[in-house]
Amino acid sequence: MTNAVVVGSGPNGLAAALTLAARGVHVRVLEAKDTIGGGTRSSEHTLPGLIHDDCSAFHPTAVASPFIRGLGLEEYGLGWLWPDVDIAHPVDGGRAGVLWRDINRTVEQMGADGKAWGRLFGRVAGNFDALTDDVFRPIVHIPDHPFKLAHFGLNALLPATWSVRRWETEEVRALFGGVAAHAFGSLNTPLSSSVGLMLVAAGHAYGWPVAEGGSRSITNAMARKLEKLGGTIETGVEVTSVRDLGDADVVMLDVAPDAALRIMGDRLPGRTKRAYRKYRYGPAAYKVDFAVEGDIPWTNEHVRRAGTVHLGGTFEQIAEAEGQVARGIMPKQPFVLIGQQYLADPSRSVGDMNPIWAYAHVPHGYPGDATEAIIEQIERFAPGFRRQIRHTFVRNVSDMEAYNANYVGGDISAGANNGLQIAMRPRIALNPYKTGVPGVYLCSAATPPGAGVHGMCGFNAATSALNYLGITPQR
């Protein structure tokens, strides 16, 4: 039987394993940690029974992913839950930009800015399934929907600082800026609109749901399906060299490029080694989990019902903070993301104690403490929050890398989203998943289409591996 070894059990590693196993390949997944899942793990860090997502928390790209949707993970225990409000972005004075899955409701509450919002995102959201067929693949391919892709691409090429000129009110401009900031980079560079455009459209097409019981539920469902297909997973197995992999027909590396260099060593051709050495990592995430008594006392009523909350003030304030972080400067008021997953999934709470998920954007490798900066940003829009905190669990930048070796320097995007690298990662190649070693493929978020719990990096890489093996992939 043809056999494969997958290094890493994040969503992309499991996606690669499932894609290979579905075509009859015997798959063995090796995970260095004691628990599987990479960025899709959940823990009880603050109080027993209080469920905190360790990294990935909201999943617009998962419910939109053609790969994830095609797995039928509901049969294996995965359920999705949606909050009343998908995203809220408060600004000073009690106002907020608000995104509902229903684009008509969103447009209506935006007033004068609604028409421009609906004109841009209505078309992109309406074409979203067609767009994912192209956007979730390497940039060099024959598009299935060239005209729809062209419309998206022309808007995605713009700097976010240009795209935001469509709107006049602080609330709407800030709402777009907060979503665009998920790119972890300067908002005045070309392509800095792309992530915001895609994630807002995903929100209107599918919403921003949470996984019932925590993000670990995604991992667990994928693992159960893999087991049914005959695959195996081994935890506590750290792969440091190609010699650790045994005799495999195919090797899938759900690792960062620097780890691929260490594992494969001199077996990599020179061009690949040079590209992996030059691969750039981006800003970091500084994470704090809070156990709070009651709900956060947001001044805006919509924010109180939002699953995802973006904090940073106006678009200009967000752009300034993100620009500083990209230059290696820690801003006084960093961009902060808040997760109120328990609003959609009450099973994560215990009595009146609720889990709050939070992280700030900080410079790559930042050695300092951003806990107080995060609390102050919440207090800015929810006076009295500090008094409700009962427990905290901090995962600083070095802790983030220790938690997941793919988060080099705390970069949870597995690579800087700027320049050519946002479109062509980890190197310029017709097939970016190939390492140059026959049968060895990179399948982490360092490959197209990049970060997110969509599994498409793993699926695309495994499809390439099946072609190498002479096995017809499934579409």
Side-chain angles (χ1 to χ4, degrees), residues 219-284:
T219 299
N220 293 341
M222 294 177 81
R224 291 187 192 108
K225 177 153 189 172
L226 180 62
E227 182 181 4
K228 184 176 181 180
L229 292 173
T232 61
I233 301 175
E234 300 172 35
T235 58
V237 181
E238 184 175 2
V239 175
T240 60
S241 166
V242 67
R243 293 185 295 273
D244 299 331
L245 300 175
D247 184 21
D249 298 300
V250 163
V251 174
M252 311 299 298
L253 299 174
D254 183 11
V255 302
D258 70 330
L261 272 169
R262 293 193 298 271
I263 292 169
M264 298 307 300
D266 289 337
R267 298 197 184 192
L268 290 174
R271 66 184 183 278
T272 305
K273 286 195 284 188
R274 287 190 295 272
Y276 286 3
R277 287 193 186 111
K278 291 179 180 179
Y279 188 77
R280 292 167 295 149
Y281 297 93

Side-chain angles (χ1 to χ4, degrees), residues 368-442:
D369 188 335
T371 306
E372 187 59 28
I374 291 174
I375 293 173
E376 287 182 357
Q377 279 286 58
I378 302 174
E379 277 278 333
R380 176 181 172 186
F381 303 102
F385 168 73
R386 191 187 302 272
R387 294 192 298 272
Q388 294 180 264
I389 300 172
R390 297 296 175 264
H391 297 274
T392 61
F393 176 84
V394 175
R395 187 171 273 145
N396 62 26
V397 168
S398 61
D399 293 335
M400 289 299 290
E401 186 168 356
Y403 160 78
N404 189 335
N406 286 3
Y407 299 162
V408 178
D411 175 10
I412 63 174
S413 294
N417 289 314
N418 52 31
L420 274 177
Q421 194 167 278
I422 193 173
M424 305 191 76
R425 52 197 285 164
R427 62 193 182 95
I428 299 174
L430 290 175
N431 187 332
Y433 310 101
K434 288 183 176 180
T435 64
V437 179
V440 180
Y441 298 85
L442 194 67

Side-chain angles (χ1 to χ4, degrees), residues 178-361:
V179 183
H182 279 254
F184 271 89
S186 176
L187 298 182
N188 63 1
T189 58
L191 285 169
S192 57
S193 289
S194 59
V195 171
L197 189 64
M198 198 69 181
L199 289 179
V200 169
H204 286 313
Y206 286 96
W208 280 42
V210 302
E212 186 174 8
S215 292
R216 64 189 178 190
S217 299
I218 304 171
T219 299
N220 293 341
M222 294 177 81
R224 291 187 192 108
K225 177 153 189 172
L226 180 62
E227 182 181 4
K228 184 176 181 180
L229 292 173
T232 61
I233 301 175
E234 300 172 35
T235 58
V237 181
E238 184 175 2
V239 175
T240 60
S241 166
V242 67
R243 293 185 295 273
D244 299 331
L245 300 175
D247 184 21
D249 298 300
V250 163
V251 174
M252 311 299 298
L253 299 174
D254 183 11
V255 302
D258 70 330
L261 272 169
R262 293 193 298 271
I263 292 169
M264 298 307 300
D266 289 337
R267 298 197 184 192
L268 290 174
R271 66 184 183 278
T272 305
K273 286 195 284 188
R274 287 190 295 272
Y276 286 3
R277 287 193 186 111
K278 291 179 180 179
Y279 188 77
R280 292 167 295 149
Y281 297 93
Y286 185 106
K287 188 168 187 295
V288 181
D289 292 312
F290 298 99
V292 302
E293 187 171 0
D295 300 318
I296 297 179
W298 303 106
T299 55
N300 183 278
E301 61 175 317
H302 296 307
V303 185
R304 295 178 208 141
R305 298 187 289 115
T308 302
V309 181
H310 293 152
L311 303 178
T314 66
F315 177 88
E316 289 73 21
Q317 290 170 331
I318 300 163
E320 175 62 23
E322 291 297 277
Q324 288 180 328
V325 167
R327 298 192 299 273
I329 302 168
M330 180 63 197
K332 291 182 179 180
Q333 292 185 315
F335 178 68
V336 173
L337 293 90
I338 301 295
Q340 302 182 125
Q341 296 96 314
Y342 73 94
L343 294 175
D345 183 9
S347 71
R348 300 179 184 223
S349 300
V350 177
D352 290 336
M353 300 301 296
N354 296 314
I356 299 297
W357 173 100
Y359 73 73
H361 289 185

